[in-house]
Amino acid sequence: MVSHTSTRDPDGVQAVLDGVRRVVQGLHESSRDSERRCGLSTAQLFVLQRLAQAAPASINELAARTHTHQSSVSVVISRLVDRGLVRRATDPADRRRRLLTLTAAGRRRLRSAPALTQDRLIAAVLRLSPATRRTVARALDGMAGAMRVRGAPAMFFESGKPV
């Protein structure tokens, strides 16, 4: 672990950037491993895994399980449906609602899936106190704003690229 400040980094900028770099590096390595081992982006695999935990599910339920915006999950689900790994069906109890389930091909694909860094990242965030989580969220949001990054946050590394 790198100290937060040092004589070579008295303002802590390098320490912050190094922390961001390590997180991004871990996510990128996980993405490459996922693509190599099961032919899915980490975003696709993450959504498949969360759907496998309790199906059928709606897009909104998957967004909550993946801690991601609904529109991002919807894009990933469309790709999984196109690949024949997820099936959409109308909810018999509410005809306006669409339910998602894994297909047999989706279940087979999960059998070769590696562990995902997103799970370790979520576990690490949950180990932080609520006050620390709020502080980190404000700091990251401020950094994104200062970088002029706008719009709803997308899922990590869809198709091998951050989206």
Side-chain angles (χ1 to χ4, degrees), residues 4 12 14 17 58-59 63 67 73-74 84-85 93 149 159 161 163:
H4 295 290
Q14 181 177 343
L17 293 178
S58 69
I59 291 283
H67 307 279
V73 173
S74 183
L85 303 175
V149 177
S159 300
K161 301 175 207 152
V163 293

Side-chain angles (χ1 to χ4, degrees), residues 42-91:
T42 54
Q44 292 168 349
L45 183 54
F46 190 51
V47 169
L48 271 185
Q49 287 177 340
R50 291 307 185 265
L51 182 55
Q53 290 173 349
S58 69
I59 291 283
N60 287 336
E61 290 165 344
L62 281 175
R65 287 184 209 161
T66 60
H67 307 279
T68 309
H69 193 272
Q70 176 272 340
S71 63
S72 296
V73 173
S74 183
V75 168
V76 173
I77 283 294
S78 291
R79 291 180 181 150
L80 292 169
V81 168
D82 290 347
R83 294 181 76 171
L85 303 175
V86 170
R87 181 180 310 109
R88 284 187 181 118
T90 302
D91 184 345

Side-chain angles (χ1 to χ4, degrees), residues 138-160:
R138 279 192 304 270
L140 291 172
D141 189 55
M143 289 169 51
M147 294 170 60
R148 295 185 179 95
V149 177
R150 305 277 188 257
M155 297 194 78
F156 292 117
F157 297 97
E158 174 61 358
S159 300

